Amino acid sequence: MLTLGALVGRVELELAFAGGVAATPHEAVRVARLATLTLPQLLEGEPQRRLEPGSLVLLTEVPFRLRGRAEVALETLLEQLALDGCAGLAVSVLSGAHQPFSLAVREVSAALGVPLLTTTAPLRQWVGAARDLTERRLAEAEAHAGQLTTLVQQLPTRAADPEAMQRIADWLARALRAQVLVSEPGGVLAASPETAAEALAEAFLRGHREGLAHDRSQGPHTRLIPLSSAGDTPPPADDAWGAPAGDLAAVGAVSAADAGNTVLAVARRSPPFDDADLRLMRHAARLLGLLDQARREHRAAADAARAARMAAVELLLDAEVDKARRVLAAQAPGLLTPDAVRVFVVETPQDRRDAVLLRCEAGTAGRALVVADPREDRRILVVEPIRPRRTGDAVATALTRLVAELGADASLGGSGTYPMVLLADALQEAITAQRFALRRPDAVALNAQSTDLVSVLPRDAARRWARGLLEPLLRPDAQGEQMRDTLPTALAYPYAVAARRLRVHRNTVRRRVAKAAELLDMDFATVRDRATVGLALDLLADRHRPERSLTLVGGATPTLESLLASPEATAWADNLLCGARGDRRNLLTTAAVWLAHDAHIEPTARALGFSEFTVRSHLRALEGHMARDLGSLGGLRDLQFSLHILTGEVGVTDPCGDLCSTP
């Protein structure tokens, strides 16, 4: 569209802003059309109609100077131009003539914001300019209509926004100044305004009941468009698309197959819908129909994806890991690739489970498998494959935060790290943890915090290794029994504390420990020897733990290194240290040096170049990440072996490594 500045720049129009009128504020004003007016017509009271916004009025047959009655009429014209939003007033003058506008007229022009211009071009030049403006407006209108049609046709292919239907309904309601309702037999999909559903519901139901027999003389002007046929050929003029007022009942003319589909209903009191309105409705119906189709397809795809996830979980519970991986290969490539897994159980009221399920999916997107438990209508299962060397526990954190937001009606239980084939065991542990969570203030119990190395090593092979290591202490005599009874407590506590717990003298404790160290060829002043013997004692004491892995072929005694190289042990160490590994303070380096100095703070600080306060701060942070007490033998042991497994920077004592081999 042309602007005043563009018209002033056209030489043939000889147009210029009048003297005393600032040009800059008005150069960008858009000119929609040209309206001509003679001075005699102005004096007779013309124009007597509203002018189109953006009009440039050309006043002709003007004398040398406008005075008296003409000046008053010109001021009145400027006021009308301002009210109608016109672009400006141009006066045709003779070449070389003086300023035709008086000071009073210029002041009115400035006050109203309507610019004054003068032109010396003949009228025929302006006739050409008027034709040019009309052609430009027509071209712009056609281009706009083409863009709107293209937009309506193209947008549905990209319509994944669940609010798209509502936005289109709002747009149609504004454009037609009508009430718009998009509904299906199952309920309302979009309504604009919100009261449209109530206003149209009664008429809609009455139309279905009474069909064409309904009295069309009552109610608003209404149109009903089945979205399933919105893209087909236009309907006859007298059917539900184009019938007169109250014609919602004409839905009886729609086939029975269409009657059950999504429908667009539009109603307004007045005026009746014209052809342009009907075309606009058909465009909207076409777009809404494609959106409805996309919505149905998305729902079907979501149902299929949900069924695939459920099938995968059922296969995992049956230890069919390879089949489960194939089922999810297309939907979630690589999700089930890891060999280790954790399971979480979220319990929530039945009526909230679907909403909570969606929030669980959003919070764990791409990191876990989330399904509704088919056996318990209050339970949601979250299966998290444990990837090696992860740097955090994002799934557990997200679920814990979600349960806190849900309030007292929700609870969370989590398992430790299990091999993927033992998902059923992990699920049982998570269910048990969830029951314990009901008794906790935060309603959260994550058993991964109490899972230790003993629980993940292969039972029979680990016990054979422990028997091989502790063989000198397993003699069936009184001395061997005394040493076996004393060592677990003596290695975990100072001798004075151990003596009180065992109800013997501390020298007795010291003597028994020294004898055991001699028989085992160990130095219990070192962390690595204490951790190794402590692990062996725990393995032999763990008599009722179910088997979790295959024993070694032929019943051979394994080495500690072979036990620690198992996928279960690697996953356990990775899970234990994942939080610490992501800490910017490099806690694992501090831990490795601290263990190398047998848990002594002062030499550790010297070796690292830190203060003792910094070392203690790092160790406290490490305890928080691991959920372990590093002042206990169990905490030291888990730190020692997890660092050895993941980094190899911390050595372990393995007397059987040189004497025993795996065939």
Side-chain angles (χ1 to χ4, degrees):
M1 187 176 291
L2 289 174
T3 63
L4 284 178
L7 291 176
V8 169
R10 295 176 64 162
V11 177
E12 70 275 11
L13 297 181
E14 302 175 18
L15 183 67
F17 286 97
V21 176
T24 303
H26 304 291
E27 287 180 340
V29 174
R30 296 166 69 88
V31 179
R33 64 185 298 271
L34 181 67
T36 59
L37 184 68
T38 66
L39 183 59
Q41 290 174 332
L42 176 63
L43 295 176
E44 291 175 3
E46 294 290 344
Q48 297 182 3
R49 67 186 188 283
R50 288 181 59 86
L51 296 171
E52 182 178 339
S55 296
L56 175 63
V57 177
L58 176 63
L59 184 63
T60 62
E61 301 182 18
V62 178
F64 177 75
R65 189 175 295 275
L66 294 167
R67 295 183 181 279
R69 184 163 164 248
E71 184 179 9
V72 173
L74 194 60
E75 292 177 359
T76 303
L77 176 61
L78 287 173
E79 292 175 355
Q80 181 179 350
L81 297 184
L83 290 174
D84 293 344
C86 293
L89 173 63
V91 175
S92 177
V93 298
L94 296 176
S95 179
H98 294 286
Q99 170 69 267
F101 304 113
S102 66
L103 178 60
V105 171
R106 292 199 300 271
E107 289 176 349
V108 171
S109 168
L112 296 176
V114 179
L116 297 173
L117 301 97
T118 60
T119 175
T120 57
L123 186 59
R124 64 177 180 275
Q125 295 291 349
W126 282 98
V127 171
R131 188 184 306 111
D132 185 28
L133 284 170
T134 302
E135 291 174 352
R136 285 174 177 270
R137 290 186 62 199
L138 179 60
E140 289 175 0
E142 291 176 347
H144 180 70
Q147 291 172 352
L148 179 60
T149 301
T150 302
L151 177 64
V152 172
Q153 292 174 343
Q154 296 298 323
L155 280 178
T157 61
R158 304 164 49 200
D161 187 347
E163 300 297 325
M165 275 193 174
Q166 184 61 52
R167 289 199 299 271
I168 293 173
D170 292 339
W171 168 76
L172 189 60
R174 290 192 301 269
L176 299 180
R177 297 183 181 179
Q179 297 187 81
V180 177
L181 176 68
V182 183
S183 63
E184 62 179 358
V188 174
L189 300 177
S192 183
E194 293 182 358
T195 56
E198 300 174 3
L200 288 169
E202 181 179 355
F204 183 79
L205 295 175
R206 185 171 63 243
H208 273 284
R209 286 197 309 268
E210 302 177 10
L212 292 172
H214 178 62
D215 182 6
R216 299 188 181 189
S217 64
Q218 300 177 2
H221 303 282
T222 308
R223 295 298 180 275
L224 180 72
I225 307 176
L227 299 189
S228 59
S229 59
D232 299 339
T233 56
D238 291 333
D239 72 355
W241 291 57
D247 213 21
L248 192 59
V251 72
V254 182
S255 68
D258 287 340
N261 289 334
T262 309
V263 173
L264 167 65
V266 184
R268 73 182 178 195
R269 289 289 174 185
S270 62
F273 296 116
D274 57 21
D275 291 341
D277 294 334
L278 295 178
R279 285 195 298 271
L280 196 60
M281 286 185 212
R282 285 196 287 270
H283 281 308
R286 178 185 175 89
L287 180 54
L288 289 168
L290 292 173
L291 287 173
D292 184 55
Q293 178 183 353
R295 178 182 64 88
R296 294 173 186 272
E297 291 175 354
H298 180 270
R299 185 167 59 189
D303 291 343
R306 193 173 297 113
R309 292 195 295 270
M310 182 62 69
V313 171
E314 293 290 345
L315 289 169
L316 290 174
L317 290 173
D318 292 335
E320 299 284 358
V321 177
D322 291 337
K323 291 182 180 179
R325 286 169 176 163
R326 287 196 295 271
V327 167
L328 282 186
Q331 183 183 144
L335 179 62
L336 298 182
T337 300
D339 295 319
V341 70
R342 286 183 73 185
V343 176
F344 301 90
V345 169
V346 179
E347 188 164 294
T348 187
Q350 180 182 357
D351 59 346
R352 299 175 60 191
R353 186 172 74 165
D354 290 344
V356 174
L357 178 69
L358 293 176
R359 295 186 63 180
C360 289
E361 290 177 344
T364 63
R367 298 187 296 265
L369 197 58
V370 182
V371 298
D373 190 344
R375 302 167 185 82
E376 172 56 57
D377 56 14
R378 294 169 51 89
R379 186 180 296 156
I380 297 170
L381 308 182
V382 181
V383 178
E384 180 196 9
I386 303 300
R387 298 186 178 277
R389 306 196 67 80
R390 58 187 183 139
T391 58
D393 204 357
V395 171
T397 301
L399 294 176
T400 301
R401 185 183 302 114
L402 173 60
V403 168
E405 293 173 356
L406 293 174
D409 292 334
S411 57
L412 171 66
S415 75
T417 301
Y418 280 73
M420 189 77 76
V421 294
L422 295 177
L423 184 75
D425 292 345
L427 175 58
Q428 290 305 314
E429 183 177 321
I431 292 173
T432 301
Q434 184 270 324
R435 291 169 182 161
F436 281 113
L438 295 174
R439 305 187 187 99
R440 300 188 59 174
D442 59 356
V444 174
L446 302 179
N447 277 6
Q449 294 179 350
S450 60
T451 300
D452 60 12
L453 181 59
V454 173
S455 66
V456 300
L457 293 178
R459 177 179 177 270
D460 289 351
R463 285 172 61 82
R464 289 200 305 274
W465 168 80
R467 283 185 174 276
L469 177 68
L470 300 177
E471 184 178 8
L473 307 182
L474 299 180
R475 294 175 299 183
D477 55 20
Q479 186 179 24
E481 184 176 355
Q482 289 174 349
M483 285 187 292
R484 291 196 303 273
D485 292 339
T486 301
L487 273 181
T489 306
L491 293 178
Y493 301 99
Y495 290 164
V497 177
R500 288 197 300 271
R501 286 176 171 267
L502 296 171
R503 297 182 180 179
V504 297
H505 196 276
R506 65 176 178 271
N507 289 338
T508 302
V509 172
R510 185 178 289 107
R511 185 173 62 253
R512 291 175 181 176
V513 170
K515 182 62 176 177
E518 179 182 352
L519 293 174
L520 297 174
D521 193 21
M522 295 280 188
D523 179 8
F524 290 143
T526 64
V527 171
R528 59 193 298 174
D529 286 0
R530 291 206 309 274
T532 301
V533 174
L535 175 62
L537 292 168
D538 286 344
L539 286 168
L540 293 184
D542 188 31
R543 300 180 183 275
H544 303 293
R545 183 169 58 88
E547 177 61 61
R548 292 192 175 181
S549 181
L550 298 175
T551 58
L552 296 182
V553 177
T557 301
T559 63
L560 180 57
E561 286 288 348
S562 66
L563 294 176
L564 298 179
S566 68
E568 296 89 343
T570 302
W572 165 83
D574 188 77
N575 181 69
L576 185 66
L577 297 181
C578 66
R581 192 163 53 238
D583 196 300
R584 62 180 179 81
R585 290 170 290 184
N586 200 5
L587 302 181
L588 299 188
T589 298
T590 301
V593 175
W594 181 63
L595 291 175
H597 289 86
D598 295 318
H600 295 299
I601 297 292
E602 184 178 349
T604 301
R606 286 199 303 270
L608 292 171
F610 295 161
S611 67
E612 294 182 19
F613 175 84
T614 300
V615 173
R616 290 190 176 92
S617 175
H618 284 196
L619 294 177
R620 283 195 299 271
L622 190 61
E623 286 181 322
H625 287 301
M626 296 175 58
R628 295 292 193 274
D629 177 11
L630 297 183
S632 69
L633 178 62
L636 282 173
R637 182 199 67 195
D638 285 353
L639 178 60
Q640 177 88 17
F641 288 120
S642 60
L643 279 173
H644 176 76
I645 292 169
L646 291 184
T647 68
E649 296 177 2
V650 177
V652 295
T653 300
D654 189 7
C656 291
D658 297 330
L659 302 176
C660 306
S661 61
T662 303

